[in-house]
Amino acid sequence: MRDFDELFAIAAERKGGADVVEAQLPSPLSPEELAAIPEDRWLAQFTKSIFQAGFNWKVIENKWAGFEEAFSGFDVNRCAFLNDEEFDALLSNPAVVRNGMKLRTVIDNAIFIQELRDDGGIGKVIGNWPATDYINLLALLKKRASRLGGMSAAYSLRFMGVDSFILSQDVTARLIAEGVIDKPATSKTAQKAVQAAFNTWMEQSGRGLSQISRVLAMSV
């Protein structure tokens, strides 16, 4: 496994220089900034990522105002207590994508967010989660939330400003090239190996998961 400086040099050579790479690196939010994000924005992003999975992202973006209106701005308490009549109305609402299984996740994930209030709230829980244990944050979302396994959870966290890695095709290709894994990291053993590699690169570079992940993607 190459050290981070070597990987950064590869990315810089491919992209036209170190300054070009630096300009494309994300700046995650602080724990305090994440804790301050209202619950409804977490629920909205979870929902958007769930609906974008396996679907044209632009279609969801174009319909998003309709989603916001249909779910009362993703007010968590309101969404958690949608009754059967209200849910049936959603299934015939042309302003949203009428996928019953995905629409049901809004209720389930609103309840999940409510449950985290006892731990200080979703923003605090996620904001204070150590980057060195990121895979277990993904595991928490997969286990306790609805349809937030795999890439849906990873993209949700990245879009919310959480320091995170995304195992995209390019990032996975670099991890394979470095001998960290030999195929996409779907098993717990492979995910632990990925986390260990990122932890090593964080120590070497002083950078967070998001920036390292982007550098890996740009190195392929």
Side-chain angles (χ1 to χ4, degrees), residues 23-206:
Q24 297 183 56
L25 299 184
S27 297
L29 299 182
S30 69
E32 294 75 20
E33 290 171 319
L34 291 168
I37 296 174
E39 289 179 333
D40 60 270
R41 292 305 90 198
W42 291 98
L43 182 57
Q45 184 57 65
F46 290 160
T47 304
K48 182 180 284 189
S49 294
I50 288 166
F51 272 88
Q52 286 175 330
F55 209 78
N56 187 309
W57 286 27
K58 288 185 178 180
V59 171
I60 303 304
E61 287 289 353
N62 291 339
K63 280 184 168 285
W64 197 247
F67 275 86
E68 289 280 354
E69 183 177 357
F71 287 105
S72 304
F74 289 96
D75 178 272
V76 168
N77 292 335
R78 179 81 180 82
C79 291
F81 291 103
L82 282 176
N83 59 42
D84 290 343
E85 193 172 295
E86 290 169 321
F87 186 78
D88 287 343
L90 287 171
L91 294 175
S92 59
N93 187 345
V96 301
V97 175
R98 289 166 285 183
N99 180 312
M101 291 181 66
K102 290 190 175 185
L103 288 170
R104 178 69 64 178
T105 67
V106 179
I107 300 173
D108 296 337
N109 287 331
I111 294 170
F112 165 63
I113 290 171
Q114 287 179 325
E115 291 171 348
L116 292 183
R117 290 172 181 170
D118 290 339
D119 299 313
I122 186 168
K124 186 173 182 180
V125 170
I126 291 178
N128 288 335
W129 202 280
T132 53
D133 190 41
Y134 175 68
I135 58 169
N136 280 320
L137 175 56
L138 294 178
L140 171 75
L141 293 175
K142 182 178 181 179
K143 180 179 180 180
R144 293 183 57 185
S146 178
R147 295 181 77 100
L148 280 177
M151 300 297 278
S152 294
Y155 278 117
S156 290
L157 295 174
R158 175 66 63 83
F159 290 145
M160 291 301 292
V162 178
D163 191 26
S164 54
F165 58 71
I166 295 177
L167 297 181
S168 64
Q169 183 175 345
D170 287 343
V171 172
T172 296
R174 174 50 63 191
L175 290 168
I176 291 173
E178 297 307 310
V180 176
I181 51 178
D182 58 7
K183 59 183 178 180
T186 55
S187 70
K188 289 184 178 180
T189 299
Q191 290 165 5
K192 287 180 180 179
V194 169
Q195 181 74 69
F198 271 89
N199 290 352
T200 296
W201 288 321
M202 283 196 291
E203 286 183 15
Q204 292 173 349
S205 66

